[in-house]
Amino acid sequence: MLRRPKPTDSEADLLREQEKFLTSGAPSAANVVRRPDKRRGEAGGGGGEDHNGENGGSQRDVVTIEDLPDQLPSLTPAPPKKSRFKANRVTFEDEGAEEMLDRQDTHISAVLSRIIERDTSSAPVSLPVFTGMAFPKVLHRSATSSQVPLSSAGGKKSIFARQIAAQRLMEGKTPLYCAPEAAQKHKPREQNLPPESMDTDEQTTVSSPRLVSGQGLVGPDSSGDTMQIHRENQAKIQAMSQSEILEEQKKLLSQLDPRLVEFVRSCKAQNTPSSASISKYPEGKSSKKNFPLENRSTESNYSSAAVLCQKSQEVEMEGEEEEELSPPPAVMEKDLPVKPQKEWVHMDKLEPEKLEWMRDLPAPRRKGTKQAMQARFDFNGTLIPPTEDLPTHLGLHHHGEEPERAGYSLQELFLLSRSQIIQQRSLALSTLANILSKARAGEYLSVLKASVTSTLLDAGLLFLLRFALDDGVKGVMSAAVHALRAVLVCAEDEEVLDCTFSWFRGLASFPLLPSAQEEEDEEDEGLDEIMKETAKEKEERKSDHDVARQDVVKGLLKMKLLPRLRYILEVVRPSPRVVHDVLEVLTRIARHSSSSATQVLDCPRLMETVMSEFLPTSWTAPSFPLPQSVYGLPLASAMKFLRVLATSGRHACARLLNSLGVRERLSCLLSAEPSELLLEPTEALRITTEAYRLWAIAAGYGQACKLYIDLYPALVKVLQSVHCVLEPSDPLLPLQLQRVLALLSLLTQVTHTAGCHQELQAGMVSSQGDECPPPPPVSWGHVTGLQASMLGHFKGFVKSLDNPVQKNSSLTLIPAYLLYLEAYYHQLSRQNCFKPVETLQELELLTSEVLLPLLSHNVVQDLIKNLKSSSIVCNVQSSHLGPESISSLPGLACPGWRDRPGLVVPGSPFPLLTGLGLLLETITGIHKGLSCKFTGVLLSEPVIGYLRCCSQATPTLSHTRAWLLRHEHHLLYLLLRLAHRLVPVESEVAKHASLYHQVALVLLSWLLPGSEYLAHELLSTIIFSKDFISEGHSGGPEAVELGELKLHEETHHHTSPSLQTVGALLREACAQLPSIRGCFLTHLAHLESSVLVSRDTLLGRNPWINSHLLPELTGPTLPSDWPFLPLVSLYERMGVSDGGGLAVEELPQGALGSVTHCLQWLLLLEVWREEALKVIPPVAKLARLSCVFLCSSDLFLEKPVQKLTWGLFRLLTRRSRLDSLDLNVSPPGLASFQDLYCALLAQYEAVSFGDRLFGCWVLLPLQRRYSATMRLAVFGEHVGMLRSLGVTLEQLSIPIERFTSPPEDSLPLLRLYFRSLVTGTLKLCWCPVLYVVVLSHVNSFIFSQDAAAQEVEAARHGMLRKIYYLTDEVLKKHLLLFRLPQQCSYIGFDMYEQLPPIRAKRLESIVGLQDSSDDKGD
């Protein structure tokens, strides 16, 4: 046997094996053959030797393997092949096989007998034409008068062939290439039709048949026979009524093969009359009923059957279309605006399908259609209703899909945006920009199903715009910039942020980063931390598409957007609108994050271009109000761009001030009045406003303070003219107000910075400059002179509230003055020059003369009434349709903010009350006696109602709400701080102490990143204050004890030990409140750095502030389950190891005290502040309390822990709570409760020592309504624990019916139940509760009369027989005579004295049947 070649064989080995093969004569596995080339006319089957000659050079060797097909198999199963000839054969059911064989016999005699000579007697014989010319006349194209029409020429022929045919016609001869019926066509129509049919409707009068040609008929006049048949068919059709024709149509359509019908239709389409043949008909007849060309085609040369089939189909289609749209008439030659001439080459045939665009548009779809329509937009981005009929001169109709509908779909706009025609690209991008602007404003939410912006982004809009930015055509590039601005920028978001800039900490903002989405990277699983990729490396490895899908701004930065924008500004020098769009896009990128702002600053020549071209130090006045170019003029949008960049961090602000010359620009713009800046008045006010804001940002870092000293006279001059510029009749009053507010914000920040000068000076001296910022140039003496002027202005605006004309302006400015006064007095109390006596007198005057009149003013009282309606917390379910929200491009959802209630609208009381609360916090801290004068603020009905609403609210957190929630949290915190001062001294305020405490508890879990200092202050003062837990010293514990006693009397049974001591536990918890506070503050020590940063920001310690950009919005500062924090943190340190066993370590020092304090606090909240814990699901509470058993082997055995956990268990298992405890859902932070329960079972087996508390904890999840998985775990894997689970029915505070009802239906579990009983694993003395439960389920199962599967019925019979033959009489008696569980009984259940008759009969039938079968076997 020949062996196969091996890779190690040499060439000699291969040659040797080849020789053996050749000598053996064995057949080869493959043959080399020459496949015939059918295109060259080669015959097949000849092998490779037949074609060696001249074509030998082009041969190809083809290797064929036996049983291998020549072609690759198709991926989809091919339809079964059908014989074309078999389909044409006619067979009869009663025909025998012999007759069929005779009829289909192909013997040579049968073939020869069918050879018939064709009759050529009537065939035309053409002879050459004799002419006197030596050569034939040359044919010219212009000589077209005698050409044969294309339709009569037998199809598409060359010009020469048509000339020859025309010449033969002139000689009276039939063309050589024409069929016999073609010659018949050229006879006059009257010869073929009877006289009575010449004037009939053309719908049924057809000149000659087209399907039946007469070929193959024997006889000299075959075409005449065909026409005779055709005339008979026509006569029959004309004699029939319309209803008879329709009936015949239906019959034919039902009988004929559908493929035959399609063949007839295809013939009709091929034989559509040309323009020449149509034009020769009389005009009156051809348009008698104005049938469309498609319908007129039924007048072609069909057989009657074909005509009927086609007409039937057309009537049906017309009927369907008439319900929606009427079919348009076909384009005819007379409808053409230009008549075709005979001299035009290839223009003699009318092509209706190509002329469809010339016809009038069909009417739009009717209203009330239920079908979804494709959205179409006009050039302004307005959605066009599908029923609206717009005129065509608007340019909104085109030749795409649905030509009758005006407008462009998104798909069509995408296509046009990549067109080669410049105007189409520009128009498409401009339209997309308008659509995006309206979509971001939320105008399509009520009419479109999907989000337009999300759809466009998913379709690759960013890449489209990025490509368009690289377009060399300036118009296209400008349109792309405008579209990019529509994607990124929301003008109303920026407007609202500008309005809140002068609020408390309004200059700070959250970075507009998408919510972090944790991605599971399988490549990093199992690797060490050192080997894992960093976040930056993962980001660089991602494609542009993946990055842009998660974060639009980051994706654009990855696409090198910044260098392209710099090129546009520096080289292209576009129009003013494009410049503003670019600057707004850069502003939005800077708002994204500090890293994005750094990339903008680091982009080569970008900042230099902006500074030199749009913020020059000198310029000439523009000649027109709207200049053609803004290059060389200062722009407010450029100044705002710098301000947002400065917000990202103190280092970015320092680069702007020192390296890029912003300091000189500020000095240049603010040293003169806006009217002197050689700018248009509106632009001058805007750019000075932005300059003040940028300066305020810099002063918020303790920078640019020397500029304050230099420009002090100009600032004082502006302050003195405040009342003069705020004329109510001034059309620029809103801009003037924003400018004054920006100035007040600047002075507030400068005051804060100056107040830190003394502390920094002392710190620098003591630390010799180490780790201490340098003192700012401005000191306290530089700002004290402004206070008197500012206070005078403040009093003036308070008095202006009485003037209806000036009321709105005064309400706008008063909050900024309140913030300035708060900053002044807050910093004054920390100065060495502070004079307490004079300051106290000054504060008393301020209170009596300004603050109290302001609070009691009817305008302010009306504002306070809007507190609840303007709240974001209280109005979680807002009814208005907000703008589209995109996860990869977060925004503030501000479009339409003026038309709905909210924090920022003019009628909102939040800025005024926040400023007033800050000032009251400061002055009552200096002068303690003033706090009692402001009790009316807390006791007013609107404030009490607002706080009640807040205590029950559950606001959602997102970018669209966080920036507003932050301001509302400030107001809530300030109201609570005022309550903290008044509750101990004012009895009326103390009556609402529990309400304030409830608000403080819910606010603590709402506070956002950046407010860590507020959380620390709440924990330190109000949360654990005895004054706010009024129940602790007003009979609360005693009331709880009475309630427990009453419950005990109603239930009439003993409960678990120490349950009557909840009152005593509460008294002890109230006494331990200071220790509890210390415990929680210790466990929150990891937030210390964040607390210090937040403190510096909120208290105005400007030189220590590193950034006005708040931390990333990842969630609230504290988790919602913070009361469980000490317990959970101990479990994380000491808990179960990966293998499921306990990590054997001793508890750290103080762990017992921490757990005790945590349980005391939880008990107090569960009893008196249940609403504060409603955000935590009951299953999460149970899971976190389970840490008591899992974090140590003996912690749960400690007496204080035992008592407190018993109390909490009793509270969690109250009848009102058990229904809401759903263990089938996964608790937050855990994959499933079943996994936790398995860990509890393992821990119980290991260390429980039969503890009753731990036993109750393990029994709780075994209730019947929970998953059977946990019961299977007990009776399967952990069945050994049944010996020590000695909880009695009296100790279990859960009704036993919750374990026994309804009956168990899991057969594997029932078998485990039965096995545990009969094997003695489960006994009444060891596990009373589960013994009763198992008895109940097994008894219900074996005596159940319900129909069941054969397997279940067999299991019932088997259990019954085994029970009957049990030797344990007690167990047998319990199983057979069990009646109902009875918690009061000493054994836990009732029994029958004897079996009921039905059960006895069933037992007897099953056992008797078994006995009889056994006897037969014997």
Side-chain angles (χ1 to χ4, degrees):
M1 182 177 180
L2 298 174
R3 70 177 185 88
R4 298 180 63 85
K6 299 180 180 179
T8 58
D9 290 350
S10 64
E11 187 175 357
D13 297 333
L14 295 177
L15 291 173
R16 192 182 308 113
E17 292 296 328
Q18 181 181 358
E19 188 67 26
K20 289 182 180 179
F21 172 72
L22 293 175
T23 57
S24 66
S28 60
N31 296 322
V32 179
V33 298
R34 171 77 170 90
R35 298 186 68 180
D37 191 348
K38 296 182 180 180
R39 292 174 296 181
R40 300 182 180 178
E42 300 175 0
E49 298 82 17
D50 300 334
H51 300 280
N52 284 338
E54 58 187 14
N55 297 332
S58 61
Q59 297 183 53
R60 291 182 299 170
D61 292 339
V62 181
V63 178
T64 62
I65 301 177
E66 192 175 354
D67 297 332
L68 188 68
D70 293 339
Q71 296 182 352
L72 292 175
S74 174
L75 294 179
T76 58
K81 294 184 178 180
K82 297 181 180 179
S83 172
R84 189 182 308 171
F85 304 102
K86 182 179 180 180
N88 294 333
R89 295 174 189 151
V90 180
T91 59
F92 302 92
E93 294 181 358
D94 55 350
E95 185 177 15
E98 184 178 358
E99 297 174 358
M100 187 184 303
L101 184 63
D102 292 338
R103 185 166 52 83
Q104 297 181 358
D105 187 19
T106 56
H107 192 264
I108 186 65
S109 60
V111 175
L112 293 176
S113 64
R114 294 180 185 176
I115 299 177
I116 302 174
E117 185 178 358
R118 177 174 296 177
D119 185 11
T120 59
S121 59
S122 60
V125 178
S126 58
L127 298 175
V129 179
F130 295 97
T131 175
M133 300 178 62
F135 295 97
K137 183 181 179 181
V138 178
L139 301 178
H140 294 276
R141 289 187 176 183
S142 58
T144 59
S145 59
S146 61
Q147 287 187 12
V148 179
L150 185 61
S151 60
S152 64
K156 186 175 182 180
K157 300 293 182 181
S158 65
I159 296 177
F160 180 77
R162 292 167 64 187
Q163 288 282 0
I164 295 297
Q167 183 178 355
R168 297 184 69 84
L169 284 175
M170 290 176 61
E171 297 170 357
K173 300 178 180 180
T174 304
L176 293 176
Y177 52 80
C178 287
E181 69 272 15
Q184 188 71 21
K185 283 184 183 179
H186 300 289
K187 297 181 180 181
R189 185 178 178 185
E190 292 78 14
Q191 297 178 7
N192 298 332
L193 298 178
E196 62 273 9
S197 66
M198 292 180 60
D199 295 330
T200 57
D201 193 351
E202 286 188 4
Q203 184 178 2
T204 57
T205 303
V206 184
S207 60
S208 62
R210 290 189 176 180
L211 289 178
V212 182
S213 62
Q215 284 184 319
L217 293 178
V218 181
D221 194 13
S222 59
S223 59
D225 295 339
T226 304
M227 288 304 303
Q228 183 179 358
I229 296 173
H230 174 64
R231 284 193 293 270
E232 292 176 0
N233 291 337
Q234 292 284 4
K236 288 182 180 180
I237 293 176
Q238 291 177 3
M240 296 171 68
S241 63
Q242 186 69 19
S243 60
E244 292 174 340
I245 291 176
L246 293 176
E247 185 177 356
E248 290 296 328
Q249 285 176 356
K250 294 179 181 178
K251 284 184 180 180
L252 286 172
L253 286 175
S254 62
Q255 294 173 358
L256 292 177
D257 188 352
R259 288 176 296 179
L260 178 60
V261 178
E262 291 297 326
F263 169 71
V264 172
R265 291 176 186 166
S266 64
C267 293
K268 162 199 166 183
Q270 293 174 2
N271 296 323
T272 302
S274 64
S275 59
S277 61
I278 293 176
S279 60
K280 72 178 183 180
Y281 293 146
E283 184 178 352
K285 292 185 179 181
S286 64
S287 60
K288 186 175 182 180
K289 289 194 176 181
N290 196 21
F291 279 98
L293 186 61
E294 291 82 5
N295 293 346
R296 288 192 53 198
S297 62
T298 58
E299 303 165 17
S300 303
N301 304 347
Y302 283 146
S303 65
S304 60
V307 173
L308 287 173
C309 292
Q310 183 63 29
K311 285 180 63 179
S312 172
Q313 184 68 17
E314 286 178 353
V315 170
E316 184 179 352
M317 292 297 295
E318 287 176 7
E320 292 173 359
E321 291 181 357
E322 282 174 359
E323 295 176 3
E324 296 183 2
L325 302 173
S326 59
V331 178
M332 302 177 63
E333 185 178 4
K334 61 185 180 64
D335 300 327
L336 299 178
V338 179
K339 302 300 180 184
Q341 303 297 324
K342 295 182 179 180
E343 293 81 8
W344 297 351
V345 181
H346 298 312
M347 296 294 289
D348 55 351
K349 181 180 179 181
L350 187 68
E351 298 178 287
E353 66 277 2
K354 295 183 179 179
L355 299 175
E356 282 294 316
W357 61 273
M358 293 183 56
R359 68 166 67 256
D360 292 335
L361 291 171
R365 182 178 293 187
R366 296 176 184 173
K367 294 183 178 179
T369 178
K370 296 181 180 180
Q371 297 181 4
M373 304 290 288
Q374 190 176 31
R376 294 190 173 275
F377 307 87
D378 64 9
F379 298 129
N380 296 323
T382 305
L383 185 67
I384 300 177
T387 57
E388 189 165 352
D389 192 5
L390 296 178
T392 57
H393 68 79
L394 297 178
L396 297 173
H397 294 82
H398 51 84
H399 313 309
E401 297 178 357
E402 303 175 316
E404 72 277 6
R405 288 188 58 196
Y408 288 83
S409 66
L410 297 179
Q411 183 179 1
E412 293 163 351
L413 290 173
F414 260 64
L415 186 65
L416 287 177
S417 63
R418 303 304 297 163
S419 169
Q420 293 184 355
I421 301 174
I422 297 173
Q423 291 84 351
Q424 287 184 346
R425 296 203 302 271
S426 178
L427 186 64
L429 291 171
S430 301
T431 305
L432 282 174
N434 296 332
I435 292 172
L436 285 164
S437 299
K438 293 181 181 295
R440 295 296 301 275
E443 295 188 14
Y444 303 137
L445 289 179
S446 59
V447 290
L448 295 182
K449 289 183 178 179
S451 167
V452 174
T453 311
S454 299
T455 302
L456 289 173
L457 289 177
D458 293 341
L461 176 68
L462 293 183
F463 296 93
L464 175 70
L465 298 182
R466 184 61 189 90
F467 297 153
L469 285 176
D470 293 335
D471 201 301
V473 181
K474 193 173 181 178
V476 177
M477 179 271 300
S478 301
V481 171
H482 187 51
L484 184 64
R485 184 251 179 207
V487 173
L488 297 179
V489 181
C490 180
E492 292 184 283
D493 286 1
E494 295 292 333
E495 183 182 356
V496 169
L497 287 175
D498 293 343
C499 288
T500 58
F501 183 86
S502 59
W503 289 19
F504 175 61
R505 296 303 303 160
L507 50 81
S509 61
F510 286 106
L512 294 181
L513 281 166
S515 299
Q517 298 177 355
E518 296 183 1
E519 298 182 356
E520 296 182 359
D521 198 343
E522 297 180 357
E523 297 179 4
D524 289 346
E525 290 184 1
L527 295 178
D528 297 335
E529 293 296 328
I530 303 176
M531 300 295 294
K532 290 184 179 180
E533 287 184 330
T534 62
K536 185 177 181 181
E537 291 173 343
K538 290 181 181 179
E539 195 73 29
E540 292 175 352
R541 193 162 52 88
K542 290 181 180 177
S543 64
D544 294 351
H545 174 265
D546 292 335
V547 175
R549 185 167 49 86
Q550 296 177 0
D551 192 332
V552 169
V553 174
K554 195 176 289 186
L556 288 171
L557 292 176
K558 190 175 175 63
M559 297 178 203
K560 307 297 182 185
L561 175 68
L562 294 177
R564 184 60 187 173
L565 294 182
R566 190 269 312 159
Y567 175 84
I568 292 173
L569 292 178
E570 183 182 24
V571 180
V572 180
R573 301 175 73 86
S575 62
R577 178 189 177 186
V578 178
V579 171
H580 285 290
D581 288 346
V582 170
L583 291 173
E584 289 181 10
V585 167
L586 291 173
T587 303
R588 175 61 180 83
I589 292 174
R591 285 197 188 277
H592 175 264
S593 62
S594 58
S595 62
S596 299
T598 303
Q599 290 187 54
V600 173
L601 281 170
D602 293 340
C603 182
R605 300 199 310 279
L606 174 60
M607 296 307 302
E608 289 78 3
T609 302
V610 172
M611 297 301 298
S612 61
E613 299 291 352
F614 310 118
L615 287 174
T617 54
S618 60
W619 63 91
T620 57
S623 55
F624 301 100
L626 298 176
Q628 298 297 317
S629 175
V630 292
Y631 281 80
L633 295 175
L635 296 180
S637 54
M639 186 64 74
K640 180 178 180 178
F641 167 52
L642 297 184
R643 187 245 298 179
V644 176
L645 278 177
T647 306
S648 64
R650 65 184 305 110
H651 298 294
C653 185
R655 287 178 63 180
L656 292 174
L657 291 172
N658 303 323
S659 302
L660 296 173
V662 171
R663 195 187 307 270
E664 291 75 14
R665 270 74 172 181
L666 292 178
S667 178
C668 175
L669 291 170
L670 299 178
S671 58
E673 290 291 328
S675 57
E676 302 171 0
L677 290 180
L678 302 180
L679 293 172
E680 194 264 332
T682 302
E683 186 67 17
L685 285 174
R686 285 180 176 150
I687 196 168
T688 52
T689 301
E690 289 299 335
Y692 280 130
R693 288 172 178 166
L694 173 57
W695 192 1
I697 293 287
Y701 296 125
Q703 301 172 357
C705 292
K706 192 173 185 309
L707 193 61
Y708 167 80
I709 301 173
D710 298 338
L711 296 181
Y712 185 80
L715 296 176
V716 173
K717 183 180 178 182
V718 175
L719 275 179
Q720 292 173 348
S721 62
V722 165
H723 284 282
C724 302
V725 299
L726 298 179
E727 288 294 330
S729 59
D730 188 0
L732 300 178
L733 179 61
L735 294 178
Q736 294 283 9
L737 285 172
Q738 291 297 321
R739 177 169 172 263
V740 174
L741 288 172
L743 173 61
L744 295 176
S745 299
L746 166 65
L747 297 178
T748 302
Q749 295 301 323
V750 170
T751 303
H752 277 302
T753 301
C756 299
H757 181 276
Q758 178 179 301
E759 181 181 356
L760 288 172
Q761 188 75 35
M764 189 175 64
V765 172
S766 62
S767 62
Q768 285 79 36
D770 295 337
E771 299 181 1
C772 182
V778 61
S779 63
W780 187 248
H782 292 109
V783 298
T784 53
L786 294 176
Q787 191 265 345
S789 175
M790 298 284 283
L791 184 58
H793 291 165
F794 177 47
K795 293 179 180 178
F797 284 118
V798 172
K799 293 179 181 178
S800 300
L801 290 175
D802 297 326
N803 188 349
V805 179
Q806 299 179 351
K807 180 186 70 173
N808 292 332
S809 300
S810 300
L811 285 176
T812 304
L813 294 177
I814 285 176
Y817 280 100
L818 289 171
L819 293 179
Y820 169 80
L821 292 175
E822 185 274 333
Y824 176 80
Y825 287 114
H826 175 72
Q827 298 296 340
L828 174 64
S829 61
R830 302 168 58 193
Q831 306 302 315
N832 292 334
C833 60
F834 175 60
K835 299 177 181 179
V837 178
E838 295 179 4
T839 304
L840 294 181
Q841 294 175 353
E842 184 179 341
L843 292 178
E844 289 177 357
L845 286 175
L846 175 67
T847 300
S848 59
E849 295 180 2
V850 184
L851 297 182
L852 290 178
L854 174 65
L855 271 174
S856 59
H857 200 282
N858 56 354
V859 174
V860 177
Q861 290 297 318
D862 292 340
L863 269 186
I864 295 177
K865 292 178 182 178
N866 298 333
L867 196 58
K868 188 175 177 180
S869 61
S870 303
S871 167
I872 299 297
V873 172
C874 297
N875 299 293
V876 177
Q877 304 296 335
S878 185
S879 59
H880 74 277
L881 286 175
E884 293 183 354
S885 59
I886 307 162
S887 60
S888 60
L889 188 65
L892 307 185
C894 293
W897 62 277
R898 295 183 184 275
D899 303 328
R900 60 177 188 260
L903 264 69
V904 197
V905 294
S908 170
F910 280 90
L912 177 63
L913 288 180
T914 304
L916 186 61
L918 279 168
L919 183 57
L920 294 183
E921 169 69 9
T922 299
I923 64 175
T924 53
I926 299 173
H927 192 326
K928 302 292 193 296
L930 291 178
S931 57
C932 298
K933 296 187 178 182
F934 298 100
T935 56
V937 175
L938 291 177
L939 295 177
S940 65
E941 192 59 34
V943 173
I944 292 293
Y946 168 67
L947 292 177
R948 282 204 183 99
C949 184
C950 289
S951 67
Q952 301 172 358
T954 54
T956 56
L957 180 60
S958 63
H959 274 287
T960 59
R961 305 173 63 87
W963 69 281
L964 287 176
L965 286 172
R966 183 171 66 95
H967 294 293
E968 186 160 1
H969 294 167
H970 290 160
L971 176 60
L972 285 170
Y973 169 77
L974 293 170
L975 290 175
L976 293 175
R977 289 292 297 175
L978 183 59
H980 176 63
R981 298 189 187 280
L982 290 175
V983 165
V985 296
E986 286 290 332
S987 58
E988 289 297 321
V989 178
K991 293 179 181 178
H992 301 283
S994 59
L995 173 61
Y996 304 139
H997 192 244
Q998 178 75 24
V999 173
L1001 286 171
V1002 296
L1003 176 62
L1004 186 62
S1005 59
W1006 294 346
L1007 291 174
L1008 302 174
S1011 301
E1012 291 84 0
Y1013 176 71
L1014 302 185
H1016 180 270
E1017 287 298 300
L1018 288 176
L1019 288 170
S1020 303
T1021 56
I1022 298 177
I1023 298 295
F1024 301 102
S1025 173
K1026 295 179 181 179
D1027 297 327
F1028 286 86
I1029 306 177
S1030 57
E1031 295 87 349
H1033 51 79
S1034 60
E1038 289 78 10
V1040 173
E1041 287 179 339
L1042 290 175
E1044 294 291 339
L1045 289 173
K1046 183 179 180 182
L1047 180 63
H1048 168 65
E1049 293 174 358
E1050 290 176 354
T1051 54
H1052 298 292
H1053 67 83
H1054 300 288
T1055 53
S1056 51
S1058 74
L1059 282 184
Q1060 282 80 32
T1061 62
V1062 172
L1065 294 175
L1066 289 172
R1067 270 194 297 271
E1068 186 178 355
C1070 291
Q1072 294 291 327
L1073 280 175
S1075 301
I1076 296 174
R1077 175 179 60 196
C1079 170
F1080 277 92
L1081 289 176
T1082 302
H1083 281 85
L1084 292 171
H1086 63 280
L1087 297 174
E1088 182 181 2
S1089 59
S1090 301
V1091 170
L1092 294 177
V1093 172
S1094 175
R1095 181 198 64 181
D1096 294 338
T1097 302
L1098 295 170
L1099 296 185
R1101 294 166 56 84
N1102 289 347
W1104 287 271
I1105 296 176
N1106 288 322
S1107 175
H1108 292 306
L1109 206 60
L1110 295 169
E1112 183 181 352
L1113 187 63
T1114 55
T1117 301
L1118 295 180
S1120 59
D1121 61 347
W1122 67 268
F1124 297 88
L1125 187 59
L1127 197 55
V1128 175
S1129 60
L1130 179 63
Y1131 168 74
E1132 291 175 349
R1133 291 170 58 190
M1134 308 293 299
V1136 178
S1137 63
D1138 294 337
L1142 188 69
V1144 183
E1145 293 182 10
E1146 291 186 1
L1147 284 175
Q1149 188 176 4
L1152 177 60
S1154 296
V1155 172
T1156 303
H1157 293 323
C1158 177
L1159 295 176
Q1160 286 175 334
W1161 180 241
L1162 288 171
L1163 184 68
L1164 189 146
L1165 293 179
E1166 282 288 346
V1167 175
W1168 290 328
R1169 297 291 181 267
E1170 186 179 350
E1171 285 292 320
L1173 294 177
K1174 68 178 182 180
V1175 295
I1176 309 173
V1179 63
K1181 296 179 183 178
L1182 185 67
R1184 281 147 180 77
L1185 284 174
S1186 299
C1187 296
V1188 171
F1189 306 99
L1190 293 174
C1191 63
S1192 173
S1193 60
D1194 56 358
L1195 178 64
F1196 62 92
L1197 298 175
E1198 299 289 342
K1199 193 171 182 180
V1201 175
Q1202 276 263 328
K1203 290 182 178 180
L1204 291 166
T1205 311
W1206 267 120
L1208 288 168
F1209 180 78
R1210 171 65 187 279
L1211 294 172
L1212 287 175
T1213 56
R1214 284 179 294 183
R1215 294 180 184 273
S1216 58
R1217 298 284 191 88
L1218 276 176
D1219 293 332
S1220 61
L1221 181 61
D1222 187 3
L1223 303 184
N1224 295 325
V1225 299
S1226 300
L1230 290 176
S1232 68
F1233 186 83
Q1234 284 85 351
D1235 297 339
L1236 177 68
Y1237 186 67
C1238 290
L1240 277 173
L1241 294 180
Q1243 184 79 340
Y1244 183 87
E1245 280 188 306
V1247 299
S1248 69
F1249 300 104
D1251 181 68
R1252 300 296 187 264
L1253 171 62
F1254 204 164
C1256 289
W1257 214 269
V1258 168
L1259 286 172
L1260 174 63
L1262 299 181
Q1263 297 177 60
R1264 178 64 181 87
R1265 68 190 188 101
Y1266 298 138
S1267 172
T1269 307
M1270 294 183 280
R1271 299 192 290 278
L1272 284 169
V1274 171
F1275 286 89
E1277 304 169 14
H1278 302 279
V1279 70
M1281 64 179 288
L1282 299 178
R1283 180 152 189 162
S1284 59
L1285 195 56
V1287 179
T1288 64
L1289 272 70
E1290 298 174 353
Q1291 294 168 341
L1292 185 66
S1293 58
I1294 306 171
I1296 193 64
E1297 290 77 18
R1298 289 183 174 268
F1299 294 86
T1300 59
S1301 179
E1304 185 62 63
D1305 54 2
S1306 172
L1307 186 58
L1309 184 56
L1310 286 165
R1311 285 173 172 161
L1312 290 176
Y1313 283 169
F1314 186 70
R1315 186 176 68 179
S1316 65
L1317 286 173
V1318 297
T1319 58
T1321 308
L1322 179 62
K1323 292 187 177 181
L1324 179 62
C1325 57
W1326 292 344
C1327 188
V1329 174
L1330 290 185
Y1331 185 82
V1332 175
V1333 172
V1334 169
L1335 274 183
S1336 174
H1337 287 304
V1338 173
N1339 180 268
S1340 300
F1341 177 70
I1342 60 178
F1343 288 114
S1344 174
Q1345 302 292 328
D1346 298 335
Q1350 185 176 359
E1351 180 185 8
V1352 176
E1353 196 65 31
R1356 288 174 180 168
H1357 293 179
M1359 288 185 187
L1360 259 178
R1361 286 193 291 269
K1362 290 177 183 178
I1363 292 171
Y1364 183 77
Y1365 293 113
L1366 273 177
T1367 57
D1368 187 347
E1369 293 296 331
V1370 176
L1371 178 59
K1372 177 180 177 181
K1373 182 178 179 182
H1374 287 173
L1375 283 169
L1376 293 177
L1377 300 180
F1378 178 89
R1379 183 179 181 184
L1380 286 173
Q1382 183 60 258
Q1383 216 153 356
C1384 300
S1385 173
Y1386 73 98
I1387 59 173
F1389 56 92
D1390 288 340
M1391 291 193 300
Y1392 293 105
E1393 294 182 2
Q1394 59 181 5
L1395 271 179
I1398 297 179
R1399 294 190 174 190
K1401 185 177 180 181
R1402 176 176 175 80
L1403 177 62
E1404 183 181 356
S1405 64
I1406 294 173
V1407 176
L1409 183 63
Q1410 177 67 24
D1411 291 342
S1412 63
S1413 63
D1414 292 343
D1415 293 341
K1416 290 180 181 179
D1418 293 339

